Each structure stands twice: as structure tokens, then as C-alpha cells.
Amino acid sequence: MSFHNSSSAVDITEVEKRRMSDVHGLDIDERDRDLLQRQRELEDLDDSTKLNWEMIKKLTVCGVAFLNDAYDMFSINIVAMILGFVYYHDAEGADQNTVPKKWDTLIKIAVQIGCLLGQLVLGRLGDKVGRTTIYSASLMIAIITTIASAFSSSMVKGFNVFIVLFIWRVLLGFGIGGDYPLTATIVSEYASPKNRGKLMSAVFACQGFGNVLAPIVGIIVTACFRSSIDNDVRNLDYVWRLIIGLGCIPGVATLYWRLTMEDSKRFQLESAKAAAANADEDMQREKLLAKQHFAEDTAQEEGLLESPNTVLNVALADDKPRRAKTFSQYFSEWRHLKVLLGTSIAWFALDVAFYGINLNSAVVIDAIGFAGDLYKDKPSHFIIRNCLGNIIINILGSVPGYWIAVFTIERLGRKTIQLMGFAMLTILYIVLGFAYHKILDKSVAGFIVLFTLAQLFQNFGPNVTTFVIPGEVFPTRFRSTAHGISAAAGKLGAIVAQGGFMQLKDRGGKNQFIDHLLEIFALFMLIGFFVTFWIPESKGKTLEEICDESEEYY
């Protein structure tokens, strides 16, 4: 593989080039050989990659990161329920024990906004500064803001507790956002082609454990304060703060390992290769001028007929400085841009429905008998039963879906799983949407089955693959940035779902618009299905083969 850029304007044969190089001692391919050596080392990395203690440690750190992130993101659903009892226990009528919709939406959407910003900014810095440096910084941001969130309170004059909590959770989301592109690139660059997809999806599947851990912690903490809560509901103020604050423990436990992680050899070699290709052009020209003077002297001494200008033209043609393409140059080509659009639009479409389908969680929890009565039940009893309902929902379809994907991704391929998932979700949402009220009226069990299947095919489908694919299909120098853009598009979908669709679900009456929302989600799944064809299959290929990284240079 060569990074040659020969000039068509030079009319000279290869034989003459070789003879001039030999006669005049011009080492015109010196940098090519340096770049080629680094390229060979990159290609040899996958052959030497083995699952050892160092890799197990990195996978543990990355897995805990996603468990922690999921806990921080989804524990807010429990916290919002508790905040209703704490701050609105003395409200009247239907407003009692319920956080007003505007504040409920604000605190739930905060992390998604922060994640979007973090994925873009920290993803880019991961390529410019280094993976592990930014990875450590993102965790420290998350730890500090988690603790700060737990101490949120109303100001005497100014912001109330919900606005303060919103601010801290936006900053928390910024730290969490960095985990998406950086975890994906770290794992993909360390793993071998035969197990890269499995390891990346296993790390991401730890999200499922985080989803389950949040209600488990909610149950434990509520149970510890049960008698005091029943005596005075305001004692729930300790509960929600503890639920949020305990979320920093996994991060603190793995902080040292993050701080001592090193960038992968692939990233180091690629950075060196790009630096060599981007060597200062003035220095290269000085080198060429020195070669010209040497060639002139030698030609005069040996009586050669070639003019000094011809010798210089040959050197310029063969030794022209090679440059690494910038991000904008690389993605200005449609064949590369369509891949980035494919990963971004697919993730956006998926997250609209992924976060939107959770609008039905309350329906399912009520159907399986774990909803309770918001006004008659004791607060502790109501909270514990809802937490149990959330655990059951996650165990039914969500967690199994993650791990089915883990154990099949290397056999079926990423693209196949994503296409299958989008296709199944399109069908399920069409059925749920157009027959929503009929199914609920005639068979609640049937509705639960369809809801569970939707959760199953979200995770044994695009929820896993939209994370894995962007970590494989982009060049090393742009991998973290491109993954961050794809993930940010997903979070934009989550914001649309939580900030937009959540406001529509009660249009015309409580839950009366959900059937139409499910029909809209079906359309988004269909869009995700078609844009998946823009994405290449990466199963069994090295990262260099997938992207043909030599094309980064011109």
C-alpha cells in the first residue's frame, strides 16, 4: 500500500526515475517507507490481539461505565415520582403527589441535552487529545455533578429545586455523553475482528443492568426509611437524594483504572502515521532543494545529459508532501458521508421510539398489578411497588434482548440484526398503533406480549447495533468524532420523544393519543430500516479493511 501521489505532468519513464535515484542518490521514497511500516504494524495488530488481563480490566471499566450511565439516566424516573410526594403532598385534587408536567419534563430531558453536547465535544476531543485522557475527564465530570445533583435545593430567591437539578443534570449528561464515543472506540481498537462486535455489544449491554439497578436501589433505600416516611412523607427527601448520590459509587470504584489506562497501540500508530504524512511542507521543500544541488553537482561531474530541472521535477513528482485528509475533506465524498448519515439517522429514528415506547410503561405496570393508588396508598408502598414493576418490565424483554444480540452479532452480522430489528419494530408498532384500544380492551395479556416483543427487538436489534457500527466503520483519526455525531443524533431523537411526544400523549384525554404516537414510531422505524442500507457490514473485517484507511491520504 502506498501513499504515492504522482504527477501526470512529468513525462518521464519509471526506468529513468529509478536510474536517476540510483545515480544521484536521491532517497525519494523515504517517507513512503516510513508510512508503509506503520501501516504494516497496524495490520499486524489484530493478529496479536488476545484476551488478557489488561483487556479484561479495560472491558470491566467500560462495562461499569455503561451500567453507571444507565443508572444515572433512568433513576430520574423514580426520583421524579418521589419528588411529587415531597414537594406536592399538600396539593389539591389531581395535582396531589404529582410533579407538574413542565418540571417533570425539564428534569427528565436534562441528561439527554447534556449527553448530546458531551458526545459532540468530548467525542471530538477524543480524536484530538487522546481517548483515555478525555475518558478519565468525562468520568470526573460525572462524579462531581452526580454528587452536586444530590444536594440540589431551592434558592431563597431565584431558582427552585427543579431548575437547580436541571442544571446539574445537564452537566452530568455532558460527562455521560463522552462515554458513548470513547467507550466504543477504546473497545473496538483493542479487540480482534473475530470478537470485536461481541465485546462492544457486551459492554453496551451493561446498560440493561443499570436499568434494573436503579429500581433495586430505590426499593432498598425506601425500605430503610419506611417507618419514618409513613410518619412524615417529607422524609422522602432523604430517599431521592440517596438514590441519585449512590450513582457515583461505580464511577469512583473504577476511577483509578480509568486514570491509568493507555491509548491503544492502533491509535498511537495512526496518530504517528498522520503526523508523518502532515510533515511541514517548508522542511520538505528545503530537503528537495538540497537534493537538487547535489544532483546538479553530480550531473556536471559525471557529464550526464539530464538537466537539473528534470532531476528536480522527478523528485517533486515522487517526493511531493503527502497530506492527511481533514474531517471535512474525507466526508465531502458521498461514499463516506452516506455512512455517517446512515449511522446518525438510524440512531435518531431508534431513540425516538426507544424513549417514546416507555410512555407505555405505566400501562404495563398497571396491567400486571404493580401501579398502586397514588392517592390512597402509603407513599412507601406506592414507590416500592412501582419499582418492582419497572424491574419486571426490564427483565421481560429489555435485558434478554441485549444478551441475545451479544451472542449472535458475530454470526448474523451487525447489518442483518439492525435490518431485522427495524423490520420487526415497524410491524409491531403498526399493530400496536392501529389496534391499541382494541387490544387493551380485549386482552391485556396480549398487549403485554406485544410490548415485551417491542422491547426485545429494540435491544436484539438497532439499540445495540447503532452503538457498535459507528465504532467500526470510520477511520481511526475520525472514529471518536463520527461516533459522537451519530450518538448525538440519537440523543436528539430522545429529546424529541421526551420533550415533544410526551406532551402529546394525553391529547384528547389521558393516554388517548398514544395509539397515534405508535403509528408515528412505526414510520421512524421504517426510515431506520432504509438508511441501514447505506452502512457497510463490518463483521469479521479489520478496522483498516472496513474503512480502507489509506484513502485518508492524498
Side-chain angles (χ1 to χ4, degrees):
M1 187 179 300
S2 174
F3 301 96
H4 243 34
N5 189 2
S6 58
S7 173
S8 59
V10 180
D11 185 17
I12 189 164
T13 65
E14 291 297 320
V15 175
E16 288 173 323
K17 291 181 183 180
R18 288 197 300 269
R19 182 166 62 81
M20 288 181 187
S21 180
D22 292 337
V23 173
H24 303 305
L26 296 177
D27 188 12
I28 59 176
D29 291 326
E30 178 183 345
R31 286 179 300 111
D32 272 350
R33 285 198 295 272
D34 187 41
L35 296 179
L36 281 167
Q37 177 60 31
R38 289 191 175 93
Q39 185 67 22
R40 291 191 191 99
E41 291 178 13
L42 281 170
E43 291 168 353
D44 291 339
L45 277 178
D46 294 305
D47 296 332
S48 60
T49 302
K50 294 181 180 179
L51 194 64
N52 51 34
W53 166 243
E54 190 64 25
M55 184 175 288
I56 291 172
K57 185 170 73 174
K58 287 180 173 62
L59 292 173
T60 301
V61 170
C62 293
V64 170
F66 269 100
L67 179 148
N68 204 166
D69 293 346
Y71 178 93
D72 288 334
M73 285 191 289
F74 295 105
S75 61
I76 193 63
N77 296 324
I78 300 167
V79 168
M81 178 172 55
I82 295 172
L83 287 172
F85 286 104
V86 174
Y87 292 97
Y88 295 95
H89 61 276
D90 54 356
E92 296 180 358
D95 295 332
Q96 186 182 12
N97 299 332
T98 305
V99 174
K101 184 175 288 187
K102 64 177 181 178
W103 300 126
D104 183 74
T105 301
L106 193 70
I107 61 175
K108 287 181 179 178
I109 209 172
V111 166
Q112 312 302 339
I113 294 171
C115 271
L116 189 153
L117 298 173
Q119 286 159 346
L120 293 174
V121 175
L122 299 181
R124 183 57 180 157
L125 290 175
D127 282 332
K128 302 294 285 186
V129 178
R131 319 297 200 214
T132 54
T133 301
I134 305 302
Y135 200 41
S136 299
S138 69
L139 178 58
M140 288 188 280
I141 292 170
I143 291 172
I144 293 168
T145 52
T146 297
I147 295 170
S149 298
F151 288 96
S152 297
S153 60
S154 297
M155 298 179 179
V156 175
K157 287 186 177 181
F159 298 153
N160 64 21
V161 65
F162 297 101
I163 296 177
V164 174
L165 186 58
F166 168 80
I167 293 169
W168 283 120
R169 285 188 65 81
V170 168
L171 296 174
L172 169 62
F174 187 84
I176 291 173
D179 281 348
Y180 281 76
L182 294 168
T183 299
T185 53
I186 287 170
V187 176
S188 70
E189 290 170 4
Y190 270 105
S192 67
K194 64 182 180 182
N195 63 11
R196 186 177 58 238
K198 182 185 291 185
L199 295 179
M200 291 179 72
S201 53
V203 164
F204 189 70
C206 291
Q207 261 197 356
F209 297 136
N211 293 343
V212 173
L213 182 61
I216 289 175
V217 171
I219 290 171
I220 293 171
V221 176
T222 303
C224 290
F225 289 87
R226 189 164 195 164
S227 58
S228 59
I229 293 168
D230 291 341
N231 291 329
D232 186 351
V233 72
R234 289 174 296 181
N235 286 318
L236 276 170
D237 193 54
Y238 298 110
V239 175
W240 76 263
R241 296 180 189 277
L242 281 171
I243 291 172
I244 289 178
L246 291 171
C248 74
I249 292 177
V252 171
T254 57
L255 179 59
Y256 175 76
W257 278 3
R258 275 215 206 187
L259 291 171
T260 55
M261 285 174 69
E262 294 182 357
D263 284 323
S264 67
K265 190 176 180 182
R266 173 175 273 107
F267 177 72
Q268 295 176 37
L269 287 171
E270 180 57 34
S271 298
K273 189 174 72 171
N278 286 334
D280 186 84
E281 294 188 27
D282 291 335
M283 292 180 63
Q284 293 298 329
R285 185 160 294 279
E286 288 177 8
K287 181 180 176 182
L288 292 176
L289 289 173
K291 290 179 179 180
Q292 180 192 12
H293 295 317
F294 175 79
E296 290 174 355
D297 294 340
T298 306
Q300 290 173 1
E301 289 175 4
E302 299 183 10
L304 294 176
L305 298 178
E306 292 89 346
S307 69
N309 286 336
T310 303
V311 175
L312 179 61
N313 286 338
V314 175
L316 284 170
D318 285 351
D319 208 23
K320 184 178 180 181
R322 260 68 69 189
R323 304 291 297 172
K325 289 182 180 179
T326 63
F327 182 89
S328 58
Q329 287 172 330
Y330 183 82
F331 286 104
S332 65
E333 300 178 36
W334 170 246
R335 58 190 175 130
H336 300 315
L337 179 61
K338 73 176 183 179
V339 178
L340 181 59
L341 289 174
T343 57
S344 300
I345 295 172
W347 207 332
F348 172 84
L350 179 276
D351 270 14
V352 168
F354 182 78
Y355 287 88
I357 192 66
N358 289 326
L359 299 173
N360 288 288
S361 295
V363 176
V364 178
I365 290 174
D366 182 56
I368 59 179
F370 282 88
D373 191 313
L374 183 63
Y375 310 108
K376 296 179 180 179
D377 288 349
K378 291 182 178 179
S380 60
H381 177 76
F382 181 84
I383 292 166
I384 289 173
R385 288 192 66 80
N386 269 270
C387 287
L388 284 171
N390 275 287
I391 293 171
I392 293 170
I393 286 176
N394 278 287
I395 291 176
L396 280 176
S398 183
V399 173
Y402 279 115
W403 291 98
I404 294 173
V406 170
F407 292 111
T408 59
I409 195 165
E410 297 297 356
R411 290 186 178 182
L412 299 178
R414 292 77 160 138
K415 194 170 179 178
T416 301
I417 290 177
Q418 185 157 306
L419 287 169
M420 177 192 67
F422 274 129
M424 291 299 299
L425 289 170
T426 301
I427 295 169
L428 287 167
Y429 289 148
I430 288 174
V431 172
L432 282 168
F434 286 96
Y436 181 80
H437 296 291
K438 291 181 181 178
I439 294 172
L440 277 178
D441 291 340
K442 293 185 177 181
S443 176
V444 172
F447 180 84
I448 293 173
V449 170
L450 291 172
F451 178 82
T452 300
L453 287 173
Q455 285 201 315
L456 179 74
F457 283 105
Q458 278 178 339
N459 293 320
F460 176 39
N463 192 36
V464 168
T465 55
T466 51
F467 171 80
V468 173
I469 293 171
E472 299 178 312
V473 297
F474 300 111
T476 301
R477 289 194 308 114
F478 309 134
R479 186 168 293 125
S480 180
T481 303
H483 194 288
I485 292 171
S486 304
K491 289 306 171 191
L492 181 60
I495 292 169
V496 169
Q498 291 187 306
F501 293 143
M502 186 173 286
Q503 311 309 311
L504 297 175
K505 76 182 184 74
D506 294 328
R507 186 177 180 182
K510 187 175 181 181
N511 296 331
Q512 290 302 304
F513 202 73
I514 286 182
D515 54 343
H516 299 301
L517 290 180
L518 290 168
E519 294 162 11
I520 294 171
F521 296 158
L523 178 60
F524 277 102
M525 296 301 95
L526 195 61
I527 292 171
F529 178 84
F530 284 114
V531 298
T532 300
F533 288 103
W534 288 347
I535 302 169
E537 176 56 70
S538 52
K539 181 183 72 171
K541 298 178 182 177
T542 67
L543 296 175
E544 288 69 40
E545 288 173 340
I546 298 165
C547 311
D548 191 8
E549 296 205 357
S550 63
E551 293 183 3
E552 288 183 76
Y553 300 87
Y554 66 94

